[in-house]
Amino acid sequence: SAVISQKPSRDICQRGTSLTIQCQVDSQVTMMFWYRQQPGQSLTLIATANQGSEATYESGFVIDKFPISRPNLTFSTLTVSNMSPEDSSIYLCSVEGGAQYFGPGTRLTVL
Amino acid sequence: GEDVEQSLFLSVREGDSSVINCTYTDSSSTYLYWYKQEPGAGLQLLTYIFSNMDMKQDQRLTVLLNKKDKHLSLRIADTQTGDSAIYFCAESMGSSYKLIFGSGTRLLVRP
């Protein structure tokens, strides 16, 4: 199984600012994903991030709001841009490595 | 469209068996997953089953898949208070590997 870490684990941010979340995996993986879990809700896929190509966004999510980088096979970042209180959520990365494994999540609160 | 449904809440007594149910709509699902989320934590992969299997057992966990009815269940034997958590089922969508999650079932284990 893959071991995944995320930074930061939590943050409190002011509206209008941006936050970049990092996801690090202990092995090389082709497919990485970013999910959002709004308070009390289930998980929704934001985008698929494959190395060497642009991220593929799901309906309702756009690159200007959630830019993603995937510079190599072990690392990805998700930026939450121009934040509003509605962006307060847990953001989780996951990797496909025989099964799909999740990082511990980043708990974001926007004031 | 893609949809995964779960009952919202289950309460059992310690030592009893718990059965959490899930229905899905997409017959092209390749893998079906069960994840556990404890308060303030990320998603822990419990088990998964390939869509051509009927059953999978792993220690206290038994997964049953009825592909005809698109019904998935997770049975936890000898449920313990440490099993109290939210349990999510998810279906993996073909070659994209993206996951569609159910709403989660909150399991409460009473002493």
Side-chain angles (χ1 to χ4, degrees):
Chain A
S1 66
V3 177
I4 305 166
S5 60
Q6 285 186 234
K7 288 183 186 177
S9 58
R10 58 178 62 230
D11 208 341
I12 301 172
C13 300
Q14 297 297 319
R15 70 169 66 214
T17 63
S18 297
L19 176 73
T20 295
I21 302 167
Q22 299 178 6
C23 179
Q24 179 79 50
V25 192
D26 68 341
S27 57
Q28 293 185 336
V29 292
T30 302
M31 304 189 79
M32 294 180 78
F33 306 88
W34 287 98
Y35 289 81
R36 181 177 73 181
Q37 186 178 25
Q38 294 178 296
Q41 302 294 313
S42 185
L43 282 81
T44 302
L45 179 65
I46 297 171
T48 302
N50 292 335
Q51 197 265 339
S53 62
E54 296 242 341
T56 304
Y57 289 83
E58 297 298 304
S59 175
F61 298 96
V62 295
I63 187 170
D64 289 346
K65 176 68 176 175
F66 297 102
I68 287 171
S69 79
R70 182 79 201 274
N72 58 53
L73 290 173
T74 63
F75 187 78
S76 179
T77 67
L78 169 77
T79 298
V80 186
S81 303
N82 188 24
M83 289 185 283
S84 67
E86 292 71 35
D87 295 319
S88 297
S89 296
I90 301 172
Y91 292 86
L92 301 103
C93 68
S94 71
V95 303
E96 174 58 42
Q100 200 159 134
Y101 300 93
F102 281 80
T106 295
R107 187 178 293 268
L108 171 61
T109 302
V110 184
L111 303 178
Chain B
E2 307 140 356
D3 197 16
V4 179
E5 295 190 355
Q6 301 177 238
S7 52
L8 292 182
F9 184 74
L10 176 66
S11 178
V12 301
R13 234 186 324 209
E14 190 174 16
D16 289 349
S17 292
S18 307
V19 179
I20 303 171
N21 294 300
C22 174
T23 57
Y24 60 99
T25 55
D26 196 317
S27 57
S28 66
S29 300
T30 49
Y31 288 94
L32 294 132
Y33 289 86
W34 285 104
Y35 291 92
K36 176 183 180 183
Q37 187 176 39
E38 296 181 81
L43 259 65
Q44 175 193 352
L45 175 61
L46 285 179
T47 187
Y48 60 97
I49 188 168
F50 192 52
S51 59
N52 69 353
M53 297 171 65
D54 299 324
M55 185 182 92
K56 181 178 181 181
Q57 189 155 2
D58 184 1
Q59 299 182 352
R60 292 191 297 125
L61 305 179
T62 303
V63 178
L64 295 178
L65 175 60
N66 182 328
K67 201 170 180 183
K68 174 176 164 288
D69 294 338
K70 299 189 182 68
H71 182 266
L72 181 74
S73 68
L74 173 70
R75 178 178 181 269
I76 305 173
D78 187 24
T79 314
Q80 303 297 306
T81 54
D83 294 324
S84 292
I86 299 175
Y87 290 79
F88 291 97
C89 69
E91 58 173 341
S92 175
M93 306 306 296
S95 60
S96 74
Y97 293 100
K98 65 181 185 181
L99 298 183
I100 306 297
F101 280 84
S103 55
T105 299
R106 183 178 295 273
L107 173 65
L108 175 66
V109 182
R110 311 184 306 273

